[in-house]
Amino acid sequence: MAMTASAEGGNSSQLGIPELGPNPASEARGDVLLGPPVSFGPWTCKEPIHVGLPEEEEAMCLPLKATPPPSYPSQVRDKIVLMDNERLLFDFLLQVTRHSDLDTEIRIAGGWVRDKLLDRQRASNRIEVVVDNMNGRKFCEEVNLLLPFHGLRVEKITVIQKKSKTFRFLSSERVRMSLFGMCVDFVELRSKHYFMRKGLLLSAGGKYEVDASLRDFTINSLFYNVNTNSVEDFTGKGMRDLKSGKIMTPLNPKKTFYYDPVRVFRAIRLATSLGFELDEELRAAAIDSDVKTAINHVMWRRSIGYEVYVMFSSAKDNTLVEALRMICAMGLFWEVFNVVPSDFGMSPTSDVVCVAYMEDAWRLMQRVGLSAFETLEEKRLALYAALLLPLCDSRFTGGPVINRRFTGQVVIRFLFQKSLRLKSSEGEKVGALNWYTPKFSALFPQFLAIADQKPPPADYSCDGGDLRTSSSLRVKSGKILRKIGDLRRVLVLLSTLLYQSTDEATAATCSLEERSLNIFHKVEGLIEKMCLENIWKEKPLLNGTDLMDMFYVARGPLIGRMKKKVLQFQLAHPLATAEDCRNWMEKEYPLRVRKRSSS
């Protein structure tokens, strides 16, 4: 196992690292810079920064200060046990190096090594392969040359350039292939020299010690050497932190987070999913004012949004709730959305209310049964909507007046599209859910009166009556459910959270969780009895063309009002035909019928 010798961090000026600005307190800490200057914060630097292990000096990757002996609470394997397909893959990669006479050492890096040592089931089958003396594309070409000799077809090589809108000048690439049923990424070593250009990183080849020191956390800096079948810890801290169950950065956490603030939320996600705790120095760095400034920069919004997406997509047990609790406790909730709560009429402490709603939604989803929410998207949208439910009535009050309609549903779409840079379609669905939830929740007393076999409301009618005065429950709920589409169960779930029962007998005998579960099942059952579960798929009895032909009316606002009347009739009379609807519409618009007859 490769280990570095221990050393006390020296003066940063002795290591050839320029100071970041008017902050002399950092002189004696031995901080190592990670990455470029950006256009915010009090620190600036335009000279190249040399990060890594020069030939004569190997103190960069060592602890910045003395650490107490670890307690080693985690169960960590002494060696990695390979699955059959992994063994086939690694043997084949070694054959590639021998067949092509390559002086290349194959190592596996990243979360695969960590999860294997923790004997943890991985959510994906992706493996990151690091090659030391060539780029991944050339190695993949050598792989394709050998595949036919094993009776395998040549695989497609996908080159993922690090030149997105965020990392436009980053000159490194990730090459992806599918081998032995696994997604394999081939990457180069990270650079020993990181140059600054427009606030971004430019890299070239480097050493394994440097690569390990530049990774996000020590537990992710471990390598598995395929050649020697051993785990290598080039920072000297990876195995220690893995066994002690701590999340810590290889280099100074404050500067690591300042130049890559996305790692703050990745640390929280890893800590909750693995059951680890954040190192105290790392926690202090995450809540530093300069790091918060970096988090709010537009350059990192898409990456932070992706971390939020992963948190919500991989929600299991209580990990998502714990992650958001930790974000709130560290005062980073509003930094995630890059907004000032007072601008939306919210108090700074309302983040706790948001997380409480999401926690209640998660518990109710588990009681109902996660299988009831058919797709991963449906579960994710339910948790998004529950988290933002307190914002459904918010309106933008800070800064200049942008738009009189910048309220409620629009605010939530803004948070998705501008703050988190997530899919606009998901933002529209969450906005619609939160917009219609209070309206649907207001119908719950009528639902429960019918479900509990109490006398139904006087205006409840589904099989007749004058629709000009009737406000049928089926009509009201059907209109909302048509707008929501296939997210019916999510709407019922959110409405259950908002609804407060006034039944004192039920409240005395059941807990709040039991009452919520009973209400959910009663409303869901009535929706099915009224045949509204697929109401969003039903076509109108008369469409716009039919109405224009029927009344000789041009397309315009009047046709829109007529279509609403048709929908209202169709919801109140589920067994009616198009001819029934046509006769009823003629009674509703007699003057139009006479005008048509006279013409």
Side-chain angles (χ1 to χ4, degrees), residues 334-381:
W334 298 112
E335 273 68 23
V336 172
F337 297 102
N338 192 23
V339 296
V340 179
S342 58
D343 289 349
F344 295 92
M346 306 285 290
S347 68
T349 58
S350 56
D351 54 352
V352 180
V353 179
C354 293
V355 176
Y357 267 106
M358 195 207 66
E359 183 176 3
D360 290 342
W362 176 246
R363 288 179 178 174
L364 186 55
M365 286 172 67
Q366 290 179 309
R367 293 296 304 272
V368 171
L370 294 179
S371 58
F373 302 88
E374 298 175 356
T375 63
L376 179 62
E377 181 189 21
E378 194 173 351
K379 298 170 188 171
R380 184 172 64 249
L381 291 176

Coordinates of all heavy atoms in Angstrom, one line a residue, residues 334-381:
W334 N -30.9 28.3 1.7 CA -31.3 29.3 0.7 C -30.1 29.5 -0.3 O -30.3 30.0 -1.4 CB -31.6 30.6 1.4 CG -32.8 30.5 2.3 CD1 -32.8 30.6 3.7 CD2 -34.2 30.3 1.9 NE1 -34.1 30.4 4.1 CE2 -35.0 30.2 3.0 CE3 -34.8 30.1 0.6 CZ2 -36.3 30.0 3.0 CZ3 -36.1 29.9 0.6 CH2 -36.9 29.8 1.8
E335 N -28.9 29.1 0.1 CA -27.8 29.2 -0.9 C -28.0 28.1 -2.0 O -27.5 28.3 -3.1 CB -26.4 28.9 -0.1 CG -25.8 30.1 0.4 CD -26.5 30.8 1.6 OE1 -27.3 30.0 2.2 OE2 -26.3 32.0 1.8
V336 N -28.6 27.0 -1.6 CA -28.9 26.0 -2.7 C -29.7 26.6 -3.8 O -29.5 26.4 -5.0 CB -29.7 24.8 -2.0 CG1 -30.1 23.9 -3.1 CG2 -28.8 24.1 -1.1
F337 N -30.7 27.5 -3.4 CA -31.6 28.1 -4.4 C -31.1 29.4 -4.9 O -31.7 30.1 -5.8 CB -33.0 28.2 -3.9 CG -33.7 26.8 -3.6 CD1 -33.7 26.4 -2.3 CD2 -34.2 26.1 -4.6 CE1 -34.3 25.1 -2.0 CE2 -34.7 24.8 -4.3 CZ -34.8 24.4 -3.0
N338 N -30.1 29.9 -4.2 CA -29.5 31.2 -4.6 C -30.5 32.4 -4.5 O -30.6 33.2 -5.5 CB -28.9 31.1 -6.0 CG -28.0 32.3 -6.3 OD1 -27.5 33.0 -5.4 ND2 -27.8 32.6 -7.6
V339 N -31.3 32.4 -3.5 CA -32.3 33.4 -3.3 C -32.2 34.0 -1.9 O -31.7 33.3 -1.0 CB -33.7 32.9 -3.5 CG1 -33.9 32.5 -5.0 CG2 -34.1 31.8 -2.6
V340 N -32.8 35.2 -1.7 CA -32.9 35.8 -0.4 C -34.3 35.6 0.1 O -35.3 36.0 -0.6 CB -32.6 37.3 -0.4 CG1 -32.8 37.9 0.9 CG2 -31.2 37.5 -1.0
P341 N -34.6 34.9 1.2 CA -35.9 34.5 1.6 C -36.9 35.7 1.7 O -38.1 35.6 1.4 CB -35.8 33.7 2.9 CG -34.4 34.1 3.4 CD -33.6 34.4 2.1
S342 N -36.3 36.8 2.2 CA -37.2 38.0 2.4 C -37.7 38.5 1.0 O -38.8 39.2 1.0 CB -36.4 39.1 3.1 OG -35.2 39.5 2.3
D343 N -37.0 38.2 -0.1 CA -37.5 38.7 -1.4 C -38.8 38.0 -1.8 O -39.5 38.4 -2.7 CB -36.5 38.4 -2.5 CG -35.3 39.4 -2.4 OD1 -35.4 40.4 -1.6 OD2 -34.3 39.2 -3.0
F344 N -39.1 36.8 -1.2 CA -40.3 36.1 -1.5 C -41.3 36.0 -0.3 O -42.1 35.2 -0.2 CB -39.9 34.6 -1.8 CG -39.1 34.5 -3.1 CD1 -37.7 34.5 -3.1 CD2 -39.7 34.5 -4.3 CE1 -37.0 34.5 -4.2 CE2 -39.0 34.4 -5.5 CZ -37.6 34.4 -5.4
G345 N -41.1 37.0 0.6 CA -42.0 37.1 1.8 C -41.8 36.0 2.8 O -42.7 35.7 3.5
M346 N -40.6 35.3 2.8 CA -40.3 34.2 3.7 C -39.3 34.7 4.7 O -38.5 35.5 4.5 CB -39.7 33.0 2.9 CG -40.6 32.6 1.7 SD -42.0 31.6 2.2 CE -41.3 30.1 2.8
S347 N -39.5 34.1 5.9 CA -38.5 34.4 7.0 C -37.3 33.4 6.8 O -37.4 32.4 6.2 CB -39.1 34.1 8.3 OG -39.4 32.7 8.5
P348 N -36.1 33.8 7.3 CA -34.9 33.0 7.1 C -35.1 31.6 7.7 O -34.4 30.7 7.4 CB -33.8 33.8 7.8 CG -34.3 35.2 7.7 CD -35.8 35.1 7.9
T349 N -36.0 31.5 8.8 CA -36.1 30.2 9.4 C -37.2 29.3 8.8 O -37.5 28.2 9.3 CB -36.5 30.4 10.9 OG1 -37.7 31.2 11.0 CG2 -35.4 31.2 11.6
S350 N -37.8 29.8 7.7 CA -38.8 29.0 7.0 C -38.3 27.8 6.3 O -39.0 26.9 5.9 CB -39.6 29.9 6.0 OG -38.7 30.4 5.1
D351 N -36.9 27.7 6.2 CA -36.3 26.5 5.6 C -36.7 25.3 6.5 O -36.8 24.2 5.9 CB -34.8 26.7 5.5 CG -34.1 27.0 6.8 OD1 -34.9 27.3 7.8 OD2 -32.9 27.0 6.9
V352 N -36.8 25.4 7.8 CA -37.2 24.3 8.6 C -38.6 23.8 8.3 O -38.8 22.6 8.3 CB -37.1 24.7 10.1 CG1 -37.4 23.5 11.0 CG2 -35.6 25.2 10.4
V353 N -39.5 24.7 8.0 CA -40.8 24.4 7.6 C -40.8 23.6 6.3 O -41.6 22.6 6.2 CB -41.7 25.6 7.5 CG1 -43.1 25.3 7.1 CG2 -41.7 26.4 8.8
C354 N -40.0 24.0 5.4 CA -40.0 23.4 4.1 C -39.5 21.9 4.2 O -40.1 21.0 3.7 CB -39.0 24.1 3.1 SG -39.6 25.8 2.6
V355 N -38.5 21.7 5.0 CA -37.9 20.4 5.3 C -38.9 19.5 6.0 O -39.1 18.3 5.8 CB -36.6 20.4 6.0 CG1 -36.1 19.0 6.3 CG2 -35.5 21.2 5.2
A356 N -39.7 20.1 7.0 CA -40.7 19.4 7.7 C -41.8 18.9 6.8 O -42.2 17.7 6.9 CB -41.3 20.3 8.8
Y357 N -42.2 19.7 5.8 CA -43.2 19.2 4.9 C -42.7 18.1 4.1 O -43.4 17.1 3.8 CB -43.6 20.4 3.9 CG -44.8 21.2 4.4 CD1 -44.7 22.4 4.9 CD2 -46.1 20.6 4.3 CE1 -45.8 23.2 5.4 CE2 -47.2 21.4 4.7 CZ -47.0 22.6 5.2 OH -48.1 23.3 5.6
M358 N -41.4 18.2 3.6 CA -40.9 17.1 2.8 C -40.7 15.8 3.7 O -40.9 14.7 3.2 CB -39.5 17.5 2.3 CG -39.0 16.6 1.1 SD -37.3 16.6 1.0 CE -36.8 15.8 2.5
E359 N -40.4 15.9 4.9 CA -40.2 14.8 5.8 C -41.6 14.1 6.0 O -41.7 12.9 5.9 CB -39.7 15.2 7.2 CG -39.4 14.0 8.1 CD -38.8 14.4 9.4 OE1 -38.5 15.7 9.6 OE2 -38.5 13.6 10.2
D360 N -42.6 14.9 6.2 CA -44.0 14.3 6.3 C -44.4 13.6 5.1 O -45.0 12.6 5.1 CB -45.0 15.4 6.7 CG -44.8 16.0 8.1 OD1 -44.1 15.3 8.9 OD2 -45.3 17.1 8.4
A361 N -44.1 14.2 3.9 CA -44.4 13.6 2.6 C -43.7 12.3 2.5 O -44.3 11.3 2.0 CB -44.1 14.5 1.5
W362 N -42.4 12.2 2.8 CA -41.7 11.0 2.7 C -42.2 9.9 3.6 O -42.4 8.7 3.2 CB -40.2 11.3 3.0 CG -39.3 10.1 3.0 CD1 -38.7 9.5 4.1 CD2 -39.0 9.2 1.9 NE1 -38.0 8.4 3.7 CE2 -38.1 8.2 2.4 CE3 -39.3 9.3 0.6 CZ2 -37.6 7.2 1.5 CZ3 -38.8 8.3 -0.3 CH2 -38.0 7.3 0.2
R363 N -42.6 10.2 4.8 CA -43.2 9.2 5.7 C -44.5 8.7 5.2 O -44.8 7.5 5.3 CB -43.4 9.9 7.1 CG -42.1 10.1 7.9 CD -42.4 10.7 9.2 NE -41.2 10.9 10.0 CZ -41.1 11.6 11.2 NH1 -42.2 12.1 11.7 NH2 -40.0 11.7 11.8
L364 N -45.3 9.6 4.7 CA -46.6 9.2 4.2 C -46.5 8.3 2.9 O -47.2 7.4 2.7 CB -47.5 10.4 3.9 CG -48.9 10.2 3.4 CD1 -49.7 9.3 4.5 CD2 -49.7 11.5 3.2
M365 N -45.5 8.7 2.1 CA -45.2 7.9 0.9 C -44.8 6.4 1.3 O -45.2 5.5 0.7 CB -44.1 8.5 0.1 CG -44.5 9.7 -0.7 SD -43.1 10.6 -1.5 CE -42.6 9.4 -2.7
Q366 N -44.0 6.3 2.4 CA -43.6 5.0 2.9 C -44.8 4.2 3.4 O -44.9 3.0 3.2 CB -42.5 5.1 3.9 CG -41.2 5.6 3.3 CD -40.1 5.8 4.4 OE1 -40.3 6.4 5.4 NE2 -39.0 5.2 4.2
R367 N -45.7 4.9 4.1 CA -46.9 4.2 4.7 C -47.8 3.8 3.6 O -48.4 2.7 3.7 CB -47.6 5.2 5.7 CG -46.8 5.5 6.9 CD -46.6 4.3 7.8 NE -47.8 3.6 8.1 CZ -48.6 3.9 9.2 NH1 -48.2 4.8 10.0 NH2 -49.7 3.2 9.5
V368 N -48.0 4.7 2.6 CA -48.9 4.3 1.5 C -48.3 3.2 0.7 O -49.0 2.3 0.2 CB -49.1 5.5 0.6 CG1 -49.8 5.1 -0.7 CG2 -49.9 6.6 1.3
G369 N -47.0 3.2 0.5 CA -46.3 2.2 -0.3 C -45.6 2.9 -1.4 O -46.3 3.5 -2.3
L370 N -44.3 2.8 -1.5 CA -43.6 3.5 -2.6 C -43.9 3.0 -3.9 O -43.8 3.6 -4.9 CB -42.0 3.4 -2.3 CG -41.5 4.1 -1.1 CD1 -40.0 3.9 -1.0 CD2 -41.8 5.6 -1.2
S371 N -44.4 1.7 -4.0 CA -44.8 1.1 -5.3 C -46.0 1.8 -5.8 O -46.3 1.7 -7.0 CB -45.1 -0.4 -5.1 OG -46.1 -0.6 -4.1
A372 N -46.8 2.5 -5.0 CA -48.0 3.2 -5.5 C -47.6 4.3 -6.4 O -48.3 4.8 -7.3 CB -48.8 3.7 -4.3
F373 N -46.4 4.9 -6.2 CA -45.9 5.9 -7.0 C -45.0 5.2 -8.1 O -43.8 4.9 -7.8 CB -45.1 6.9 -6.2 CG -45.9 7.6 -5.1 CD1 -46.0 7.0 -3.9 CD2 -46.6 8.7 -5.4 CE1 -46.8 7.5 -2.9 CE2 -47.4 9.3 -4.4 CZ -47.5 8.7 -3.1
E374 N -45.5 5.1 -9.3 CA -45.0 4.1 -10.2 C -43.6 4.4 -10.7 O -42.8 3.5 -10.9 CB -46.0 4.0 -11.4 CG -47.4 3.5 -11.0 CD -48.4 3.6 -12.1 OE1 -48.0 4.0 -13.2 OE2 -49.5 3.1 -11.9
T375 N -43.2 5.6 -11.0 CA -42.0 5.9 -11.6 C -41.1 6.7 -10.6 O -41.5 7.3 -9.7 CB -42.1 6.7 -12.9 OG1 -42.7 8.0 -12.5 CG2 -43.1 6.0 -13.9
L376 N -39.8 6.7 -10.9 CA -38.8 7.4 -10.1 C -39.1 8.9 -10.2 O -38.9 9.7 -9.3 CB -37.4 7.1 -10.6 CG -36.2 7.8 -9.9 CD1 -36.2 7.5 -8.4 CD2 -34.9 7.5 -10.6
E377 N -39.5 9.4 -11.4 CA -39.8 10.8 -11.6 C -41.0 11.2 -10.7 O -41.0 12.3 -10.1 CB -40.2 11.0 -13.1 CG -40.5 12.5 -13.3 CD -41.0 12.7 -14.7 OE1 -41.5 11.8 -15.4 OE2 -41.0 13.9 -15.2
E378 N -42.0 10.3 -10.6 CA -43.2 10.6 -9.8 C -42.7 10.8 -8.3 O -43.2 11.7 -7.6 CB -44.2 9.5 -9.9 CG -45.6 9.9 -9.4 CD -46.6 8.8 -9.7 OE1 -46.3 7.9 -10.5 OE2 -47.7 8.9 -9.2
K379 N -41.9 9.9 -7.8 CA -41.4 10.1 -6.4 C -40.6 11.3 -6.2 O -40.7 12.1 -5.3 CB -40.6 8.9 -6.1 CG -41.3 7.5 -6.1 CD -40.4 6.4 -6.0 CE -41.1 5.0 -6.2 NZ -40.2 3.9 -6.3
R380 N -39.7 11.6 -7.2 CA -38.9 12.8 -7.1 C -39.7 14.1 -7.2 O -39.5 15.0 -6.4 CB -37.9 12.8 -8.3 CG -36.9 14.0 -8.2 CD -35.8 13.8 -9.3 NE -36.3 13.8 -10.6 CZ -36.3 12.8 -11.4 NH1 -35.9 11.6 -11.1 NH2 -36.8 12.9 -12.7
L381 N -40.7 14.1 -8.0 CA -41.6 15.3 -8.1 C -42.4 15.5 -6.8 O -42.6 16.6 -6.4 CB -42.5 15.2 -9.3 CG -41.9 15.3 -10.7 CD1 -42.9 15.1 -11.8 CD2 -41.2 16.6 -10.9

